[in-house]
């Protein structure tokens, strides 16, 4: 029996009838059967359907590519805090080098110079600058 509803509306109907989460493959199979889609149509529309399912606020992705209605799940259960994900990543030496290169590039674009990281180098430069100014005043 062909229904005249969108794939997302049919997904909602299928999940309500299932009384729980379904794998994407099972959900898609049920939808395509209910909408009497041809094999070619099934293959052509799967990508757009997956994207639409992801973007629609009625649905939530669970583990192992299972999907359910968002209304059945609390925010705390399905929400992933990206700060938790990224806090586990340790900064490597190459990351620090990349950051330094980026700072140098930004400074070059702005016509600025970066202060030296090493305090001793900074002290030597300021001493040399004073000497250079003294020499410049003598020379003229």
């Amino acid at each position: 029996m062909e229904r005249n509803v969108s794939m997302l509306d049919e997904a909602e109907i299928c999940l309500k009838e299932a009384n729980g989460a379904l794998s994407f493959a099972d959900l898609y199979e049920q939808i395509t059967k209910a909408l009497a889609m041809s094999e070619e149509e099934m293959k052509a529309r799967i990508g757009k359907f997956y994207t639409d399912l992801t973007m629609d606020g009625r649905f939530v992705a669970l583990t192992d590519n299972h999907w359910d209605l968002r209304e059945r799940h609390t925010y705390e259960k399905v929400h992933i805090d990206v700060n938790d994900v990224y806090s586990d990543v340790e900064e490597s030496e190459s990351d620090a080098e990349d950051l330094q290169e980026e700072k140098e590039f930004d400074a070059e674009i702005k016509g600025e110079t970066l202060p030296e990281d090493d305090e001793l180098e900074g002290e030597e430069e300021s001493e040399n600058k004073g000497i250079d100014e003294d020499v410049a005043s003598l020379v003229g």
Side-chain angles (χ1 to χ4, degrees), residues 8-101:
L8 291 172
D9 291 340
E10 187 61 40
E12 185 176 24
I13 293 167
C14 290
L15 287 169
K16 282 182 179 178
E17 290 174 356
N19 288 323
L22 291 172
S23 70
F24 179 77
D26 291 341
L27 178 61
Y28 194 67
E29 182 181 338
Q30 288 182 22
I31 292 166
T32 56
K33 284 181 181 177
L35 298 177
M37 295 170 62
S38 68
E39 188 74 29
E40 290 173 0
E41 206 175 5
M42 288 170 56
K43 289 178 183 177
R45 296 178 71 182
I46 191 168
K48 181 168 180 0
F49 172 69
Y50 190 88
T51 301
D52 292 344
L53 187 68
T54 303
M55 302 298 288
D56 194 303
R58 296 176 286 179
F59 308 100
V60 64
L62 304 172
T63 57
D64 297 327
N65 203 21
H66 279 71
W67 290 83
D68 202 359
L69 297 172
R70 183 172 296 278
E71 64 192 34
R72 293 184 184 147
H73 300 272
T74 62
Y75 177 81
E76 291 78 21
K77 182 179 176 188
V78 295
H79 175 71
I80 298 172
D81 186 359
V82 294
N83 292 323
D84 292 341
V85 174
Y86 289 113
S87 68
D88 293 341
V89 178
E90 293 182 21
E91 186 177 298
S92 69
E93 192 173 312
S94 66
D95 290 340
E97 290 171 5
D98 291 344
L99 182 60
Q100 182 62 29
E101 286 178 11

